[in-house]
Amino acid sequence: MGGETELLKDPEFQRLLVRRSRWRWGLSGLLIGAYLVWGIGGIYFAEAYAAPFMGIALPWGMAVGFLIIAMSIVLSMVYVRVVNRLEADEALEQDKHR
Amino acid sequence: MIGGGTNVTAIVVFVAFVSLSLFITWWAAKKTHSAGEFYTAGGKITGFQNGLALAGDFMSAATFLGLTGLAFIGGADAMLYTVAITVSWAFILFAFADRMRNLGRYTFADVVAFRLQPERMRVLAAAGTLTVAIPYLIAQMVGAGSLIETLFNIPYLGAVLIVGTLMTIYVVFGGMLATTWVQVTKAVLLLAGGTVLLVLVLSKFGFSIDSLFRSASDAHPRGKGIFQPGVLYSDPISVVSLGLAFICGTAGLPHVLMRFFTVPDARQARRSIGYAVVIIGYFQAAIMIVGIGAIALLIGQPEYVDDAGRISGGVNMVSIYLSRLVGGEIFFGLIAAVAFATILAVVAGILLSASAAVAHDFYARVIRKGDISDDAEVRVSRIATVIIGAIAIGMSVLFKNVNVAVLSTIALAIAASVNFPAIFLALFWRGLTTRGAVAGGVTGLVVVIVLVVLSPTVWVNVLGNKVAIFPYAYPTLFSVAAAFAVTILVSVADNSARAQIDRAAYSAQLVRSETGENS
């Protein structure tokens, strides 16, 4: 049981944990928050949601819905790139230390 | 077929799909010997292939046919579902992908049993898998039976037998490798078919979004009212509950979680779910446009929609009719065949997860306590597959008139309330103990079943009472909250010797879950 507690005390590893959890909960919170605000907002502002979006017949509420879907796609792609690159860098670092 | 006659295209495409899937199974069978190959294709699937397969697992007939139908009746309201679904997949990527991959081997039970008392957690996980998989299987097969009855003029019994037999053959002989490639083939077909449908619908409006939406509100008796939220849901609790059903439910589906283990490492796991988000998000957006197009094009066509606005043959037929209207008989046959292929691929994945729960988690790990050879475990899995396949066929024949929506709601709610809290807290909360996890899981299961029985879907629609005791269609908000509360309270109060072990082992698990290395 010695190895992992040592690694847990390592400030490098602690920084890695903090960085990863920032990405994890930051992005999750952003998207789930967007869903809730948009979804619950629809109940109280139904008429505004049905209003045409920038002059075309596409309603505002649905335009924002498409935007949240697009945001999920873009943020997922960013997350995979960034976190996978972080991990690749760390693997390199560790190799250097060995 | 609808309006008599048999669609040659549908039959040709479907027979081609079945032949290809059987060829895949034959090829996969030659490469499937060990338990690891049977359950997870030896962990050799690439991120992109697995992303397609994951998207395929989720894009069942219910999401493709059901959501287009929902957009047809609910207008803008259906968007709540499509957004919740896309967000739920992004959440699975952020929260679960890497830690699950690093801790598990074959099933999600490996993850919850990592530091908790293994036998008890595996029994809980196996129960959580079967209570999700069996209703899900029956819902898909009953839906398939009725759909195929309408589309291909095959009697219900014959349709259920075809689906049940083929799914059992894929899994028994080809294991995860065959299941994955059948799923990938179907995902490509469904994406291609859906995209052609989208383009054909848009072409009817000169590719103008403005003209599409204008025609929809002009055609609908409620006019612009279809763009106002509030038909399918009208209170904040429903919005939260529906969101939770998809977010926690999808993250608790055993056949989806099992796919995390088919790739070599955490980086590929992230990539696969990243691809799945892209594919699913695109498909959800496309479904909304197609659904709005269906309002514009199908209303006023007496062949498909009666004066009261009801679709003949049920709302699941919306995308099928629409494909005939915009693409003619050949394209219509193609979409019908793809819908059939979709069901086949999805049920195979669910069946594999159920047989892994019985053979690996329950038999090999709990009854035999791991003292079993690889060959014997694969043999037990194959026997379990045949038995569960037969049970699913039998129950689908028996419960032909069961409400498919109720069954799917129950399955998703159980996934959210039993599997999700255990996995989530096992991954992220040091304080979780075995006793807490078991108490929370049992609570989640009981609360879901009680609330579904008291909800409008069963209490009013099935049992014929006037007013539902529990007013919401989705029990998830309450059942997930109850499961989390009981898990946390019991864990905190737990002073047993086992609880000390459970908490102490979190550090080792944390390191392993973040690095993938054995400490």
Side-chain angles (χ1 to χ4, degrees), chain A residues 1-15:
Chain A
M1 294 287 283
E4 70 274 0
T5 26
E6 226 169 79
L7 187 53
L8 268 183
K9 282 184 197 138
D10 180 358
E12 269 305 310
F13 187 70
Q14 282 297 336
R15 263 200 291 279

Side-chain angles (χ1 to χ4, degrees), chain A residues 4 8 17 20 24 27-28 35 43-44 46-47 50 56-59 62 65-66 69 76 79-80 83-84 87, chain B residues 79 83 90 93-94 98-99 210 213 227-229 234-236 239 243 267 270-271 277 281 288 507-508 511 514:
Chain A
E4 70 274 0
L8 268 183
L17 285 186
R20 280 208 189 148
R24 177 175 286 140
L27 294 183
S28 303
Y35 163 80
I43 295 166
Y44 300 104
E47 276 177 29
I56 54 172
L58 171 69
M62 289 183 69
F66 284 122
I69 291 180
S76 297
Y79 174 86
V80 172
V83 178
N84 274 0
E87 194 164 290
Chain B
M79 193 119 203
V83 171
L93 165 66
F94 305 145
D98 38 17
R99 288 198 171 192
D210 182 56
F213 278 83
F227 299 142
Q228 282 189 18
S234 54
D235 59 284
V239 174
R267 302 184 62 198
R270 281 187 211 108
R271 287 189 62 186
V277 177
M288 271 320 292
S507 298
V511 170
E514 287 289 338

Side-chain angles (χ1 to χ4, degrees), chain B residues 7 29 39 67 131 133 150 188 223 225 238 358 368 380 396 403 430 432:
Chain B
N7 188 310
Y39 296 131
L67 282 174
T131 45
T150 330
V188 170
S238 297
V358 171
R368 301 288 294 266
V380 174
S396 308
N403 184 325
R430 184 183 296 271
L432 177 70

Side-chain angles (χ1 to χ4, degrees), chain B residues 388-407:
Chain B
I388 298 167
I391 291 174
I393 294 175
M395 289 177 87
S396 308
V397 173
L398 219 57
F399 300 123
K400 184 187 172 180
N401 294 319
V402 75
N403 184 325
V404 175
V406 174
L407 272 187

Side-chain angles (χ1 to χ4, degrees), chain B residues 94-110:
Chain B
F94 305 145
F96 273 15
D98 38 17
R99 288 198 171 192
M100 288 289 292
R101 179 63 196 91
N102 282 334
L103 292 175
R105 259 176 86 207
Y106 300 154
T107 63
F108 81 87
D110 297 336

Side-chain angles (χ1 to χ4, degrees), chain A residues 32-63:
Chain A
I32 295 173
Y35 163 80
L36 288 176
V37 169
W38 167 78
I40 294 173
I43 295 166
Y44 300 104
F45 304 101
E47 276 177 29
Y49 272 49
F53 173 76
M54 310 217 293
I56 54 172
L58 171 69
W60 256 101
M62 289 183 69

Side-chain angles (χ1 to χ4, degrees), chain B residues 428-444:
Chain B
F428 297 107
W429 186 44
R430 184 183 296 271
L432 177 70
T433 71
T434 307
R435 194 181 287 172
V438 172
V442 173
T443 307

Side-chain angles (χ1 to χ4, degrees), chain B residues 3 102 120 132 161:
Chain B
N102 282 334
R120 267 181 264 168
V132 172
L161 279 176

